[in-house]
Amino acid sequence: MKKIQLLPAVFITLMLLIGMTVLGQNPDKRAEKGFALLELYTSEGCSSCPPADELMGRIQNEYKNHEVYILAYHVDYWDRQGWKDVFSNSAYTKRQYDYAKFLGKEPIYTPQLVVNGKTDYIASQETIVRNGIKSALSKPAAAKLFLEGTQANNNFKVNYNIEGVFKNSSLLLAIVQKTAKSNVKRGENANRVLSHYQIVRHLQSSALKDKKGIVWIHLPKKINTKDFEVIGFIQDNNTGSVMGASRAVLQQSPIL
C-alpha cells in the first residue's frame, strides 16, 4: 500500500523538476517586455576571455528567437602582449573607453560586458550575466526599432523606422560575423584554437533627425550573407544608454 501511495508523488515531483529544468534552459518569451543588447569587449590575447566568448555563444543559441542581441568587440590593447588579434580594432578600444566615462568605471578591462549601455559585468561570470539579461528583458524599451535591409554587391541599404524616444541619439549599425575560429600561436592563449561568436567587423554611427530614413553601409570584402548579419541600435549621445535594438536580415538584391 505504501508503495502504491508513494509512486504518484515521486512521479509528480520528478515531472516538476524536469519542467523546471526545461524552463531554465529555454527562456519564456511571453515574460519579456524589452530587449538586451550585450556588448562584449574581448581579445584573443587575454587568457580570461575564452570563457566569456563561449558563454556568448551559448546565450546566442539559447536566445536566438528572443530580443537579445550580442556584439563582440575585439579590442587592440592586448595586441602588444605577443599576439595580434586578427579581429581587433582601435575603434572598439575607443568605444570601451567611452563606456568607461559613461559608467564612471575605469580602468577598462577584458572580458567586459555592457548591457543596454547602462550596466557592466565581468563577462565570464555566467550567473550574474544571465541575471542581467533577465533584468534587461523585464523592462520596456524606450524605443522600438524596425530595420529592413537589402544587399547589392558590397553595399547594404538599411531602411529604419523608430517608434518612441530618439532625441539626442544616434543609430548605430554593426556588421556582425556570426562565428569564427582562430589558431592562436603566441601570447596568453598560445597553442589554443579559440571559438568566437557575433564578431563586430564594422560599426557605423549616424545622427538621428527623423523617425524614418535610409542608411547605406559599405560591407567588408568577400562577405557571405549566411555567415553575417546586421544589428542596429539607438543610443543616447549624452548618457550612452541604449533605447532600442533590432536585427536586419541580409538579403541579396541585384543592382538595376
Side-chain angles (χ1 to χ4, degrees):
M1 292 295 293
K2 290 181 179 179
K3 290 184 178 178
I4 293 174
Q5 291 174 347
L6 286 172
L7 279 174
V10 171
F11 178 75
I12 291 171
T13 301
L14 287 172
M15 290 303 294
L16 286 172
L17 288 172
I18 292 171
M20 290 173 65
T21 302
V22 170
L23 287 172
Q25 294 176 346
N26 296 280
D28 185 0
K29 194 170 185 178
R30 293 171 299 177
E32 297 173 8
K33 299 178 182 179
F35 71 99
L37 179 74
L38 313 184
E39 296 184 81
L40 171 69
Y41 292 88
T42 185
S43 173
E44 292 181 347
C46 163
S47 62
S48 58
C49 286
D53 293 321
E54 291 165 6
L55 175 58
M56 292 303 107
R58 294 196 298 274
I59 290 173
Q60 174 71 9
N61 183 58
E62 293 169 25
Y63 282 91
K64 59 187 176 183
N65 297 319
H66 298 253
E67 301 298 316
V68 175
Y69 310 97
I70 299 174
L71 300 175
Y73 302 97
H74 287 239
V75 296
D76 69 341
Y77 49 84
W78 279 96
D79 290 355
R80 299 183 292 273
Q81 306 299 318
W83 175 256
K84 179 173 171 38
D85 188 332
V86 67
F87 300 114
S88 66
N89 191 316
S90 60
Y92 306 152
T93 299
K94 181 183 181 304
R95 181 166 178 78
Q96 191 180 20
Y97 272 110
D98 289 341
Y99 267 132
K101 293 178 182 177
F102 285 135
L103 301 174
K105 293 189 176 182
E106 295 188 61
I108 59 174
Y109 65 93
T110 54
Q112 182 185 31
L113 185 71
V114 180
V115 179
N116 287 357
K118 301 174 182 177
T119 313
D120 79 307
Y121 306 97
I122 296 174
S124 56
Q125 295 183 345
E126 183 166 355
T127 300
I128 295 174
V129 167
R130 289 185 179 278
N131 287 338
I133 295 171
K134 291 178 182 178
S135 176
L137 290 173
S138 69
K139 301 170 185 175
K144 284 286 186 181
L145 175 64
F146 303 93
L147 299 175
E148 292 183 357
T150 304
Q151 183 187 355
N153 295 330
N154 284 332
N155 292 303
F156 190 63
K157 178 185 177 183
V158 180
N159 290 274
Y160 68 85
N161 187 2
I162 302 169
E163 295 179 0
V165 179
F166 66 92
K167 187 179 180 181
N168 298 321
S169 61
S170 296
L171 173 64
L172 286 89
L173 297 170
I175 305 296
V176 179
Q177 184 175 343
K178 296 177 183 179
T179 61
K181 288 185 180 293
S182 293
N183 186 359
V184 178
K185 298 179 180 179
R186 294 180 299 278
E188 291 190 1
N189 290 311
N191 304 316
R192 295 184 62 181
V193 176
L194 303 181
S195 296
H196 303 304
Y197 305 90
Q198 297 298 105
I199 311 153
V200 177
R201 302 301 302 274
H202 176 74
L203 184 66
Q204 180 170 313
S205 178
S206 302
L208 284 173
K209 297 180 180 179
D210 301 302
K211 65 179 182 179
K212 294 183 180 181
I214 297 174
V215 177
W216 286 90
I217 308 174
H218 185 69
L219 299 175
K221 293 180 179 179
K222 299 181 180 179
I223 189 171
N224 186 333
T225 55
K226 68 182 179 64
D227 297 329
F228 286 76
E229 65 179 357
V230 173
I231 292 176
F233 56 100
I234 304 167
Q235 187 163 38
D236 188 294
N237 295 327
N238 298 322
T239 67
S241 175
V242 177
M243 295 170 287
S246 187
R247 178 181 288 108
V249 179
L250 290 170
Q251 294 183 348
Q252 199 88 27
S253 177
I255 297 178
L256 299 179

